[in-house]
Amino acid sequence: MDIPSPRPGDALLVVDVQNDFLPGGRLAVPSGDQVIGPLNVAIAQFLAQGLPVFATRDWHPPEHCSFKANGGLLPPHCVAGTRGAAFPATLALPPDVVIVSKGTLPGNDAYSGFEGTRLGDMLREARVTRLLVGGLATDFCVLNTVTDALQEGFGVVLLTGAMRGMNLQAGDDEAAIDTMIEHGALPCSLPPLAKARLPRAQPRYR
Ligand code: VGL
Ligand code: ZN
Protein backbone atom coordinates (compact mmCIF):
# COMPACT_ATOMS: atom_id res chain seq x y z
CA MET A 1 0.00 0.00 0.00
CA ASP A 2 1.30 3.33 -1.05
CA ILE A 3 1.06 6.75 0.46
CA PRO A 4 -0.37 8.89 -2.28
CA SER A 5 1.47 12.11 -2.86
CA PRO A 6 -1.07 14.73 -3.83
CA ARG A 7 -0.91 15.50 -7.54
CA PRO A 8 -2.74 17.77 -9.94
CA GLY A 9 -6.38 16.68 -10.09
CA ASP A 10 -6.46 15.90 -6.38
CA ALA A 11 -8.52 17.69 -3.78
CA LEU A 12 -8.58 17.25 -0.03
CA LEU A 13 -12.08 16.71 1.33
CA VAL A 14 -12.51 17.38 5.04
CA VAL A 15 -15.83 15.95 6.22
CA ASP A 16 -17.80 17.56 9.05
CA VAL A 17 -14.97 18.47 11.42
CA GLN A 18 -17.22 20.70 13.54
CA ASN A 19 -17.35 21.48 17.24
CA ASP A 20 -20.54 19.50 17.84
CA PHE A 21 -18.86 16.34 16.54
CA LEU A 22 -15.82 16.79 18.78
CA PRO A 23 -15.51 15.70 22.42
CA GLY A 24 -17.73 18.03 24.48
CA GLY A 25 -20.01 18.68 21.50
CA ARG A 26 -23.71 17.82 21.19
CA LEU A 27 -23.12 14.73 19.03
CA ALA A 28 -19.53 13.92 19.87
CA VAL A 29 -17.53 11.34 17.96
CA PRO A 30 -15.20 9.49 20.36
CA SER A 31 -11.66 10.81 19.90
CA GLY A 32 -12.94 12.99 17.08
CA ASP A 33 -10.38 15.64 17.96
CA GLN A 34 -7.61 13.24 16.90
CA VAL A 35 -8.35 13.91 13.25
CA ILE A 36 -7.30 17.54 13.49
CA GLY A 37 -3.52 17.03 13.66
CA PRO A 38 -3.25 14.74 10.63
CA LEU A 39 -5.73 16.85 8.69
CA ASN A 40 -3.63 19.94 9.35
CA VAL A 41 -0.61 18.14 7.87
CA ALA A 42 -2.65 17.25 4.80
CA ILE A 43 -4.03 20.80 4.50
CA ALA A 44 -0.51 22.23 4.64
CA GLN A 45 0.63 19.95 1.87
CA PHE A 46 -2.33 20.74 -0.38
CA LEU A 47 -1.81 24.43 0.25
CA ALA A 48 1.91 24.14 -0.56
CA GLN A 49 1.10 22.39 -3.83
CA GLY A 50 -1.64 24.82 -4.79
CA LEU A 51 -4.25 22.05 -4.67
CA PRO A 52 -7.80 22.71 -3.50
CA VAL A 53 -9.30 21.97 -0.11
CA PHE A 54 -13.02 21.36 0.31
CA ALA A 55 -14.76 21.11 3.68
CA THR A 56 -18.29 19.85 4.24
CA ARG A 57 -20.34 20.87 7.23
CA ASP A 58 -23.64 19.83 8.76
CA TRP A 59 -25.62 23.09 8.74
CA HIS A 60 -29.09 22.57 10.15
CA PRO A 61 -31.97 24.95 10.84
CA PRO A 62 -33.27 24.81 14.47
CA GLU A 63 -36.39 22.99 13.25
CA HIS A 64 -34.39 20.23 11.51
CA CYS A 65 -36.13 16.88 11.13
CA SER A 66 -33.26 14.86 12.62
CA PHE A 67 -33.66 16.53 16.03
CA LYS A 68 -35.67 14.73 18.73
CA ALA A 69 -37.85 17.79 19.34
CA ASN A 70 -38.90 17.60 15.70
CA GLY A 71 -39.58 13.86 15.58
CA GLY A 72 -36.05 12.72 14.77
CA LEU A 73 -33.59 10.58 16.74
CA LEU A 74 -30.73 12.96 17.44
CA PRO A 75 -29.96 15.73 19.88
CA PRO A 76 -29.87 19.15 18.28
CA HIS A 77 -26.49 19.61 16.64
CA CYS A 78 -24.74 21.82 14.11
CA VAL A 79 -27.41 24.48 14.10
CA ALA A 80 -26.40 26.98 11.43
CA GLY A 81 -24.47 29.91 12.81
CA THR A 82 -23.92 28.46 16.28
CA ARG A 83 -20.59 27.64 17.87
CA GLY A 84 -21.39 23.94 17.63
CA ALA A 85 -21.65 24.20 13.86
CA ALA A 86 -18.37 26.09 13.54
CA PHE A 87 -15.08 24.50 12.57
CA PRO A 88 -12.73 24.22 15.54
CA ALA A 89 -10.17 27.03 15.70
CA THR A 90 -7.40 24.42 15.69
CA LEU A 91 -8.38 23.16 12.24
CA ALA A 92 -6.09 25.08 9.89
CA LEU A 93 -8.43 25.47 6.94
CA PRO A 94 -6.89 27.66 4.25
CA PRO A 95 -8.46 31.03 3.43
CA ASP A 96 -9.72 29.76 0.09
CA VAL A 97 -11.27 26.55 1.44
CA VAL A 98 -14.50 25.72 -0.37
CA ILE A 99 -17.18 25.18 2.27
CA VAL A 100 -20.10 22.93 1.42
CA SER A 101 -23.14 23.13 3.72
CA LYS A 102 -25.56 20.20 3.84
CA GLY A 103 -28.76 19.37 5.65
CA THR A 104 -29.72 23.03 5.39
CA LEU A 105 -33.47 22.49 4.92
CA PRO A 106 -35.83 21.50 7.77
CA GLY A 107 -37.17 18.43 6.00
CA ASN A 108 -34.01 16.95 4.50
CA ASP A 109 -31.11 15.21 6.21
CA ALA A 110 -27.89 14.60 4.35
CA TYR A 111 -25.22 12.18 5.44
CA SER A 112 -23.39 12.75 2.16
CA GLY A 113 -21.69 15.97 1.16
CA PHE A 114 -23.00 15.36 -2.37
CA GLU A 115 -26.64 15.24 -1.29
CA GLY A 116 -28.54 18.40 -2.14
CA THR A 117 -25.32 20.37 -2.71
CA ARG A 118 -23.20 21.51 -5.65
CA LEU A 119 -20.15 19.56 -4.43
CA GLY A 120 -19.99 17.27 -7.46
CA ASP A 121 -20.30 20.16 -9.91
CA MET A 122 -17.75 22.27 -8.04
CA LEU A 123 -15.25 19.41 -8.08
CA ARG A 124 -15.75 18.89 -11.80
CA GLU A 125 -15.45 22.64 -12.43
CA ALA A 126 -12.13 22.56 -10.54
CA ARG A 127 -11.02 19.60 -12.69
CA VAL A 128 -10.75 17.38 -9.64
CA THR A 129 -10.60 13.66 -10.36
CA ARG A 130 -9.49 12.22 -7.03
CA LEU A 131 -10.40 13.00 -3.43
CA LEU A 132 -8.30 12.39 -0.35
CA VAL A 133 -10.84 12.13 2.44
CA GLY A 134 -10.73 12.47 6.21
CA GLY A 135 -13.05 13.69 8.94
CA LEU A 136 -16.11 12.67 10.93
CA ALA A 137 -17.78 10.33 11.34
CA THR A 138 -16.24 7.38 9.50
CA ASP A 139 -19.42 5.31 9.83
CA PHE A 140 -21.89 8.05 8.89
CA CYS A 141 -20.99 11.11 6.85
CA VAL A 142 -17.57 9.93 5.66
CA LEU A 143 -19.08 6.61 4.52
CA ASN A 144 -21.96 8.22 2.65
CA THR A 145 -19.83 10.96 1.14
CA VAL A 146 -17.24 8.47 -0.10
CA THR A 147 -19.72 6.05 -1.64
CA ASP A 148 -21.39 8.97 -3.45
CA ALA A 149 -17.99 10.27 -4.64
CA LEU A 150 -17.18 6.85 -6.10
CA GLN A 151 -20.65 6.66 -7.64
CA GLU A 152 -20.00 10.01 -9.33
CA GLY A 153 -16.75 8.67 -10.76
CA PHE A 154 -14.18 10.28 -8.50
CA GLY A 155 -11.24 8.29 -7.20
CA VAL A 156 -11.05 8.19 -3.42
CA VAL A 157 -8.13 7.74 -1.06
CA LEU A 158 -9.14 7.20 2.56
CA LEU A 159 -6.93 8.97 5.07
CA THR A 160 -7.78 6.36 7.66
CA GLY A 161 -5.55 8.01 10.24
CA ALA A 162 -7.53 11.21 9.85
CA MET A 163 -11.02 9.83 10.46
CA ARG A 164 -12.90 8.55 13.51
CA GLY A 165 -16.19 6.71 13.82
CA MET A 166 -19.21 7.13 16.04
CA ASN A 167 -19.11 3.36 16.74
CA LEU A 168 -22.65 3.06 18.06
CA GLN A 169 -21.74 -0.61 17.76
CA ALA A 170 -18.11 -1.62 18.27
CA GLY A 171 -16.34 -2.00 14.95
CA ASP A 172 -18.71 0.18 12.93
CA ASP A 173 -15.76 2.30 11.81
CA GLU A 174 -13.80 -0.68 10.49
CA ALA A 175 -16.89 -2.05 8.78
CA ALA A 176 -17.41 1.34 7.11
CA ILE A 177 -13.82 1.36 5.90
CA ASP A 178 -14.28 -2.16 4.49
CA THR A 179 -17.45 -1.03 2.72
CA MET A 180 -15.72 2.01 1.21
CA ILE A 181 -12.87 -0.20 -0.01
CA GLU A 182 -15.34 -2.67 -1.52
CA HIS A 183 -16.83 0.26 -3.43
CA GLY A 184 -13.39 1.15 -4.81
CA ALA A 185 -11.76 3.49 -2.31
CA LEU A 186 -8.06 3.00 -1.60
CA PRO A 187 -6.95 3.04 2.03
CA CYS A 188 -3.91 4.95 3.16
CA SER A 189 -3.29 3.44 6.56
CA LEU A 190 0.10 4.99 7.17
CA PRO A 191 0.29 8.36 8.88
CA PRO A 192 -1.34 10.42 6.20
CA LEU A 193 0.97 12.26 3.87
CA ALA A 194 4.06 11.55 5.91
CA LYS A 195 6.02 12.29 2.76
CA ALA A 196 5.01 15.90 3.17
CA ARG A 197 7.99 16.41 5.43
CA LEU A 198 10.48 14.80 3.06
CA PRO A 199 12.13 16.57 0.17
CA ARG A 200 11.06 15.37 -3.24
CA ALA A 201 13.11 12.28 -3.97
CA GLN A 202 13.70 12.91 -7.65
CA PRO A 203 13.37 15.76 -10.06
CA ARG A 204 10.34 15.36 -12.26
CA TYR A 205 10.59 15.52 -15.99
CA ARG A 206 7.86 16.07 -18.48
C1 VGL B 1 -23.40 13.17 11.13
C2 VGL B 1 -25.14 12.35 12.38
C3 VGL B 1 -25.92 13.45 12.07
C4 VGL B 1 -22.01 13.02 10.63
C5 VGL B 1 -24.18 14.27 10.81
O1 VGL B 1 -21.38 14.03 10.23
O2 VGL B 1 -21.47 11.88 10.61
N1 VGL B 1 -23.90 12.22 11.90
N2 VGL B 1 -25.44 14.40 11.29
ZN1 ZN C 1 -26.82 16.30 11.27
Side-chain angles (χ1 to χ4, degrees):
M1 201 184 320
D2 219 354
I3 305 178
S5 290
R7 61 192 190 208
D10 283 350
L12 180 65
L13 181 59
V14 177
V15 176
D16 293 13
V17 180
Q18 296 169 267
N19 289 320
D20 270 342
F21 294 130
L22 299 178
R26 301 299 304 272
L27 194 53
V29 177
S31 305
D33 52 329
Q34 289 178 15
V35 306
I36 295 172
L39 284 174
N40 283 344
V41 173
I43 290 166
Q45 180 161 6
F46 274 71
L47 201 56
Q49 293 187 222
L51 296 172
V53 178
F54 290 74
T56 63
R57 65 183 180 187
D58 226 20
W59 197 249
H60 298 318
E63 61 275 25
H64 194 253
C65 60
S66 74
F67 300 170
K68 282 174 195 157
N70 308 316
L73 298 170
L74 301 176
H77 63 278
C78 298
V79 173
T82 64
R83 188 177 172 280
F87 299 117
T90 47
L91 183 66
L93 290 171
D96 60 350
V97 60
V98 181
I99 294 171
V100 178
S101 302
K102 64 184 172 63
T104 60
L105 299 175
N108 287 78
D109 206 2
Y111 279 181
S112 161
F114 290 89
E115 211 176 317
T117 72
R118 288 199 69 250
L119 178 58
D121 288 327
M122 287 190 292
L123 292 169
R124 284 181 283 271
E125 284 161 16
R127 298 275 180 268
V128 171
T129 56
R130 188 175 76 159
L131 297 171
L132 281 71
V133 181
L136 305 170
T138 310
D139 40 3
F140 287 92
C141 286
V142 173
L143 171 64
N144 286 276
T145 299
V146 165
T147 52
D148 275 358
L150 293 163
Q151 190 71 40
E152 296 216 16
F154 298 101
V156 174
V157 174
L158 305 173
L159 303 177
T160 56
M163 54 182 71
R164 290 293 183 280
M166 206 66 96
N167 285 328
L168 296 179
Q169 306 216 52
D172 279 355
D173 54 352
E174 286 167 20
I177 287 171
D178 288 345
T179 300
M180 292 186 278
I181 292 170
E182 281 164 20
H183 282 75
L186 296 174
C188 163
S189 69
L190 296 161
L193 309 168
K195 277 182 184 168
R197 298 203 191 82
L198 300 176
R200 183 174 290 161
Q202 289 180 350
R204 292 205 279 172
Y205 301 101
R206 32 174 262 144

